[in-house]
Amino acid sequence: MPVLPVPDPPLTDDVVALRLWQTADLDQRLAGYADPEFERFTWSTGEPVTEARLREHVEQEERERARGEKLSLAIVDAAALDQVWGGCSVYDINLDQRRAGVGYWLAPQARGRGAATRTVRLLSQWAFDVLGIARLELTCAPDNFASQRVAARSGFFLEGIMRSYMRFQGGRRDTMLFSLLPGDLRDADRPDRQPTE
Ligand SMILES: CC(C)(COP(=O)(O)OP(=O)(O)OC[C@H]1O[C@@H](n2cnc3c(N)ncnc32)[C@H](O)[C@@H]1OP(=O)(O)O)[C@@H](O)C(=O)NCCC(=O)NCCS
């Protein structure tokens, strides 16, 4: 599979911008990963996120991009591109099946103003338009209510709960599965929205 394209210039809606991670972001990324909510819902190993582990993770992400499997981007302030608000990714990319997953996190100071919803909408539109994805999946823990709201506000529909779906922090965890088709994204703001085909 080819190296994934990178949004250039950054994807933006004039509030958030999504750009490639840079070396200078390391400390801000590390601070975001140290947040208990991030550790609770996102970091599956349960080990503390040290600088060494983050560097390994970054190298792994570069290999995944080169293999066409995952694109990881920084969520930054559109008015100050060096101010990291969080991170997002398109992952498990299967261009043959035209399917992929979308993930995100925000640093505590960037929460509560819709930045995650803006991010998911921008990234989803890009995945549909540029990668030709036909179905995006979003998964989260059953008790991650903020993330479930982000999914719904971005136009996703809940498909169900996958029991004991994944290894997580020394045990196993259920996962909620949401999906988004291009028409769902177009209708995301309609109060009477229904799943599209
Ligand atoms: C998930 C996350 C990105 C959401 O950030 P956000 O969009 O800024 O979150 P907000 O505070 O604006 O909340 C979004 C919605 O969830 C609701 N919400 C927030 N925290 C909540 C909670 N603990 N319980 C119930 N609802 C909650 C908000 O009221 C809001 O609802 P609204 O759309 O009806 O206004 C952020 O909480 C985060 O980074 N969490 C840790 C990492 C993570 O869980 N990533 C997702 C993994 S699937």
Side-chain angles (χ1 to χ4, degrees), residues 35 37-39 41-42 103-107 110-117 138-141 144-150 153:
D35 169 55
E37 286 289 291
F38 178 90
E39 290 181 342
F41 289 123
T42 298
Y104 45 87
W105 61 272
L106 288 175
R111 291 182 195 150
R113 35 187 155 129
T117 302
L138 189 160
T139 59
C140 74
N144 193 345
F145 302 111
S147 192
Q148 289 163 39
R149 283 296 303 152
V150 171
R153 285 175 58 184

Side-chain angles (χ1 to χ4, degrees), residues 134-174:
R135 169 189 161 91
L136 272 173
E137 296 183 350
L138 189 160
T139 59
C140 74
D143 56 345
N144 193 345
F145 302 111
S147 192
Q148 289 163 39
R149 283 296 303 152
V150 171
R153 285 175 58 184
S154 305
F156 282 76
F157 287 93
L158 179 64
E159 294 191 343
I161 298 184
M162 301 186 289
R163 295 181 304 153
S164 191
Y165 184 71
M166 59 190 288
R167 265 188 288 122
F168 197 79
Q169 301 184 358
R172 295 195 65 77
R173 202 195 74 184
D174 293 354

Side-chain angles (χ1 to χ4, degrees), residues 56-100:
E56 279 170 27
H57 184 67
V58 168
E59 285 169 16
Q60 163 86 4
E61 284 181 337
E62 278 163 15
R63 289 193 293 274
E64 288 169 330
R65 183 162 79 87
R67 292 198 298 260
E69 295 168 359
K70 175 175 174 179
L71 176 66
S72 182
L73 297 172
I75 306 169
V76 299
D77 181 343
L81 297 183
D82 60 343
Q83 291 303 305
V84 174
W85 284 356
C88 61
S89 65
V90 184
Y91 66 95
D92 284 351
I93 297 172
N94 183 329
L95 293 182
D96 182 41
Q97 290 292 337
R98 298 176 59 203
R99 210 164 48 210

